[in-house]
Amino acid sequence: MDIIQRNFFRLLLSGSLGMFEKIEPMSAFKWNRLMQIARIQGVSDITLKGIRNSQHEATCNIPDRLVAEAEKEVVAMPAGRQPTSRMANPLFKRRLERIRHDERHAIDCSVETLELLNLIVANVYCMINAGVSLKLILDLGGYLRTKGDKVDFVKLDTWLASLHIQRMAQLEGSILIDVFGFEQDEVPFVHKVEKSAHAIVFRSLSHNEQDDAAQWHLQQNRTGFITNNSGLLRRNLKRSMRYFDYAPFETMSSFVSNIAKSFSEIEE
């Protein structure tokens, strides 16, 4: 982990979870690169909050110009939308709907456990379709820190098993442990830390996967032939397959669903 990445994750921890570590001084070029990463990852607001928390430290020597630019970006950011928390596999989609319905009507209803499941599913959907969302991972960590003591983790494990996303949930928790310094007992659904968590996160910092995912759909040219950006298609297939071992049914269903969606757009 280089100095840019170290400072980036320290600012995220400060801005989202109130965990403070001393910021290391950097050149203007490196600070500019850090803010570019924050923008690409969609966490400019969290990063800016971390900067404000550290602004009185002499070592936090970020140029005022970059802070002013970040403030303008954050003001212009669209209002936060609810993350997509659904599954592509038809069978698991029905199971998820049944879990939500039954739990809301259960005598021993645990709203906190259901909300945590929704956060985990939202992360699964995002990771398979667009890559790791640091914001969603931090939302998951924040929820565990603030409401984890109210969660029924036995019930949660049962739900994860029925949806076949135990390892994906474990990967999400492993990112919190490996990258953001959580203790394993803070993330009870992690029974074994996934060794690949570190590499997956740092790969996401060097690839703007969100942009790729939005551009890979099939298109019909003027002559009526169906075309696609083969480079983007290969990269998105490679990204999806990265999670195949963790959730094979959901990964394949998501990929097939995206292809079907592309064809439906052509027909329209």
Side-chain angles (χ1 to χ4, degrees), residues 190-203:
V190 173
H191 305 290
K192 179 183 177 182
V193 176
E194 299 287 350
K195 295 180 180 179
S196 59
H198 188 274
I200 285 174
V201 169
F202 283 88
R203 187 184 294 114

Side-chain angles (χ1 to χ4, degrees), residues 62-179:
I62 181 170
D64 293 339
R65 172 184 59 82
L66 290 178
V67 176
E69 289 176 1
E71 288 174 341
K72 289 181 181 178
E73 289 173 10
V74 170
V75 170
M77 286 176 70
R81 295 180 298 175
Q82 283 294 105
T84 302
S85 184
R86 64 181 177 85
M87 303 195 72
N89 184 280
L91 174 60
F92 300 154
K93 182 179 181 180
R94 289 194 296 271
R95 286 184 182 176
L96 178 59
E97 291 171 352
R98 174 58 61 182
I99 287 170
R100 289 168 171 163
H101 176 273
D102 290 351
E103 187 62 20
R104 292 191 189 103
H105 295 85
I107 296 175
D108 62 341
C109 173
S110 174
V111 175
E112 291 80 13
T113 308
L114 197 56
E115 288 179 347
L116 182 57
L117 175 68
N118 288 335
L119 271 173
I120 290 173
V121 172
N123 270 286
V124 170
Y125 181 88
C126 186
M127 290 169 79
I128 292 176
N129 288 281
V132 175
S133 165
L134 294 178
K135 187 177 189 312
L136 281 179
I137 291 290
L138 288 168
D139 286 346
L140 177 63
Y143 195 87
L144 287 167
R145 283 273 171 89
T146 57
K147 297 186 179 180
D149 59 327
K150 298 178 181 178
V151 171
D152 183 337
F153 286 100
V154 174
K155 183 180 288 187
L156 179 68
D157 278 341
T158 301
W159 293 343
L160 295 176
S162 71
L163 298 171
H164 290 247
I165 54 173
Q166 309 102 303
R167 281 201 69 194
M168 281 295 282
Q170 187 161 265
L171 177 60
E172 296 167 20
S174 296
I175 292 173
L176 289 173
I177 294 166
D178 188 281
V179 178

Side-chain angles (χ1 to χ4, degrees), residues 23-64:
I23 302 301
E24 300 175 66
M26 298 194 300
S27 66
F29 173 83
K30 290 181 177 179
W31 275 114
N32 187 62
R33 178 58 186 149
L34 185 151
M35 297 309 295
Q36 286 178 342
I37 293 172
R39 189 179 307 114
I40 290 171
Q41 295 296 322
V43 290
S44 295
D45 51 343
I46 299 174
T47 305
L48 180 60
K49 187 175 179 181
I51 290 170
R52 288 169 175 162
N53 290 341
S54 303
Q55 63 185 354
H56 298 300
E57 294 181 13
T59 54
C60 187
N61 63 335
I62 181 170
D64 293 339

